[in-house]
Amino acid sequence: EAAVTQSPRSKVAVTGGKVTLSCHQTNNHDYMYWYRQDTGHGLRLIHYSYVADSTEKGDIPDGYKASRPSQENFSLILELASLSQTAVYFCASSGRTGTNTEVFFGKGTRLTVV
Amino acid sequence: GQGVEQPDNLMSVEGTFARVNCTYSTSGFNGLSWYQQREGHAPVFLSYVVLDGLKDSGHFSTFLSRSNGYSYLLLTELQIKDSASYLCAVRWPNYNVLYFGSGTKLTVEP
């Protein structure tokens, strides 16, 4: 079964601090994504990547950086965390073609910035 | 992105049916996905449609009208455990990027 693993599952960060959220997939998927979900809302795309060592901006990239050092790993970095970045963050992966194009989500990371 | 719109809430009765509506901007459309999300959990894939018409998958069926930018998810023989949020997402042609609506919270009452 497709597997997307996020760490940590929850984190409390201090305003102005640096936060790194990690994601690892064992699906052999080319594409990976970071989404943010605020309470009672849908998912919004932050960054995505279609190949290792390359990342693309999504709809809401401001305040976030992404890193894809290998096909399996995709990190989201908050250099200076702010209160407004309190949310649940989901990593996802998807294959390139055919039936492998379903997007699979990790279990999420609940980030609280205080 | 892509103007994906869903009603916030929907209520129905156990044993009956519920239809969750979704409208979207038709530009750049490359298919539409439906996900179920329970409180505190990740979205779970339900269905992907790219052709017009009704796709019957048993308990969950999906309808698509590309010319009208409209889709719905139909749940039949509702059970209490179907209470969850249902997310509609338009798939962009590039890299399977999904643009989500805000989700519809379905409450199934006894």
Side-chain angles (χ1 to χ4, degrees):
Chain A
E1 185 176 307
V4 180
T5 305
Q6 295 183 229
S7 63
R9 292 295 316 281
S10 67
K11 183 174 181 63
V12 178
V14 177
T15 302
K18 181 177 181 179
V19 177
T20 300
L21 307 182
S22 299
C23 179
H24 179 80
Q25 55 105 352
T26 58
N27 307 324
N28 198 33
H29 283 166
D30 289 316
Y31 308 147
M32 295 188 74
Y33 321 85
W34 276 105
Y35 285 90
R36 165 182 174 153
Q37 185 173 39
D38 296 278
T39 303
H41 291 81
L43 285 79
R44 292 183 290 171
L45 182 66
I46 307 171
H47 285 287
Y48 64 98
S49 169
Y50 57 85
V51 69
D53 294 323
S54 179
T55 64
E56 304 293 329
K57 295 181 179 179
D59 286 345
I60 53 165
D62 292 347
Y64 303 95
K65 289 172 55 178
S67 174
R68 181 98 182 265
S70 64
Q71 185 192 42
E72 299 79 17
N73 295 294
F74 191 36
S75 298
L76 185 69
I77 303 141
L78 291 68
E79 295 279 5
L80 296 170
S82 67
L83 295 174
S84 64
Q85 293 178 311
T86 293
V88 178
Y89 292 84
F90 288 101
C91 176
S93 74
S94 169
R96 183 180 291 269
T97 59
T99 58
N100 203 28
T101 59
E102 177 185 330
V103 178
F104 293 94
F105 285 84
K107 293 185 176 182
T109 296
R110 182 173 297 276
L111 175 65
T112 303
V113 182
V114 297
Chain B
Q2 310 315 306
V4 184
E5 300 286 343
Q6 298 181 244
D8 290 339
N9 295 286
L10 180 64
M11 296 182 71
S12 193
V13 177
E14 185 179 20
T16 65
F17 69 94
R19 191 175 78 184
V20 184
N21 294 320
C22 175
T23 60
Y24 62 91
S25 167
T26 57
S27 62
F29 177 81
N30 194 41
L32 187 144
S33 297
W34 284 95
Y35 286 80
Q36 180 191 65
Q37 186 177 28
R38 301 189 183 281
E39 191 72 32
H41 289 82
V44 174
F45 174 79
L46 294 177
S47 178
Y48 171 68
V49 286
V50 65
L51 300 177
D52 285 348
L54 184 67
K55 180 180 177 182
D56 186 356
S57 302
H59 183 51
F60 299 102
S61 297
T62 48
F63 173 83
L64 178 67
S65 172
R66 289 176 296 175
S67 60
N68 293 313
Y70 171 66
S71 175
Y72 67 73
L73 175 71
L74 180 68
L75 296 86
T76 57
E77 298 181 22
L78 284 171
Q79 302 175 52
I80 301 296
K81 67 178 183 178
D82 290 322
S83 296
S85 290
Y86 291 88
L87 308 178
C88 165
V90 169
R91 181 180 292 186
W92 197 242
N94 296 329
Y95 314 119
N96 299 335
V97 169
L98 294 176
Y99 291 97
F100 284 85
S102 57
T104 297
K105 184 175 181 179
L106 173 64
T107 302
V108 180
E109 296 182 325

